[in-house]
Amino acid sequence: MWRASVLTLFPEMFPGPLGISLTGKALTSGIWSLDAHDIREHTTDKHRTVDDTPAGGGAGMVLKPDILARAIDAVADANASEIRPKLLMTPRGAPLTQARVSQLSAGPGVTIVCGRFEGIDERVIAARGLEEVSIGDYVLSGGEIAALALLDACVRLLPGVLGAAASAEDESFSHGLLEYPQYTRPQEFEGQAIPEILTSGDHGKVAAWRKAQAEALTRTRRPDLWAAYQARPKPQKG
Ligand code: ADE
């Protein structure tokens, strides 16, 4: 079973949307597990204090390293073959990619720390070997929604989660291109017809049309992905 442990000040945000639909069914059927832990449970003072003012001054509050380290240690993996990457969701992390999602999904699971406030004490990041991950160049009010996004992306790749096994193969990013346009009945919608090639029954032509569409979309919408696609290593002949 693929295991996810989440450390948060808001454990009630989990499983949230992951309890519904594909990921929810996979959770119920035991393909993956999710445990959300309240960081506050690891405080020792009467007021259950998790944060303090930033050293050097400034606005906001910083999550205390001793409390967070205790919370992380409490969910630590016991045996070496089970050791899961420990991620910290933060806008200053490495941008999450489908390639990293794919690797995480192929492993034993993840432990995820959700940041809040202005941040967490820098020392705990190195002390516990946290991998900083961002889900995009915008700022959320905490790491929880980012954790939900990362988990959704990982879980849908687990064996047995997607109904049509092929559908993860074909989609955006798996070959470095955006997905080609899709159509279904009716044949005509508000004056627009389905492209003729798609109803021709010629599978070769359909595949070529889809590839050309995917390439054109990627070139115009995502020049960054297009450059990477063009620079990709090509299979060697002979
Ligand atoms: N926490 C706040 N903003 C975030 C982001 N963009 N990615 C990951 N974690 C975050």
Side-chain angles (χ1 to χ4, degrees):
M1 178 175 355
W2 196 84
R3 292 172 53 228
S5 297
V6 178
L7 302 175
T8 168
L9 291 167
F10 303 101
E12 64 275 22
M13 287 177 75
F14 297 87
L18 301 181
I20 303 177
S21 191
L22 283 180
T23 52
K25 281 187 197 110
L27 193 53
T28 314
S29 68
I31 293 175
W32 70 297
S33 72
L34 175 63
D35 42 274
H37 303 266
D38 190 348
I39 295 167
R40 202 175 295 279
E41 299 286 304
H42 297 274
T43 54
T44 51
D45 66 317
K46 191 174 94 193
H47 296 108
R48 310 185 82 204
T49 311
V50 292
D51 57 347
D52 206 339
T53 54
M61 296 294 271
V62 178
L63 208 52
K64 291 162 63 61
D66 49 340
I67 310 297
L68 186 53
R70 265 205 297 280
I72 294 169
D73 294 346
V75 302
D77 298 316
N79 91 51
S81 67
E82 288 272 271
I83 290 182
R84 295 167 292 168
K86 292 190 278 291
L87 313 179
L88 169 65
M89 305 315 295
T90 165
R92 67 171 221 193
L96 185 63
T97 61
Q98 189 65 23
R100 186 69 187 121
V101 164
S102 200
Q103 287 171 350
L104 291 171
S105 181
V110 288
T111 295
I112 307 181
V113 175
C114 300
R116 276 270 154 180
F117 314 108
E118 294 305 297
I120 75 170
D121 187 300
E122 185 70 22
R123 294 167 294 179
V124 80
I125 299 173
R128 292 299 178 275
L130 303 182
E131 172 186 338
E132 296 178 74
V133 177
S134 166
I135 64 159
D137 291 341
Y138 43 83
V139 182
L140 303 167
S141 50
E144 286 78 8
I145 289 174
L148 290 168
L150 180 143
L151 288 172
D152 181 85
C154 289
V155 169
R156 61 187 291 285
L157 298 183
L158 296 174
V161 175
L162 283 191
S167 54
E169 280 276 293
D170 234 31
E171 67 196 5
S172 288
F173 305 121
S174 51
H175 301 108
L177 292 174
L178 299 181
E179 203 174 359
Y180 50 77
Q182 297 278 16
Y183 300 86
T184 189
R185 281 175 284 273
Q187 165 56 31
E188 197 179 306
F189 168 69
E190 297 185 355
Q192 298 185 75
I194 294 175
E196 234 170 87
I197 284 184
L198 298 180
T199 49
S200 68
D202 185 331
H203 299 301
K205 277 192 181 156
V206 168
W209 181 86
R210 285 177 167 170
K211 182 161 185 251
Q213 291 283 318
E215 289 180 348
L217 274 173
T218 308
R219 182 164 17 85
T220 55
R221 289 189 188 175
R222 293 292 303 274
D224 56 326
L225 292 181
W226 180 244
Y229 175 76
Q230 287 182 304
R232 79 197 181 286
K234 301 228 170 55
Q236 299 296 305
K237 274 191 192 149

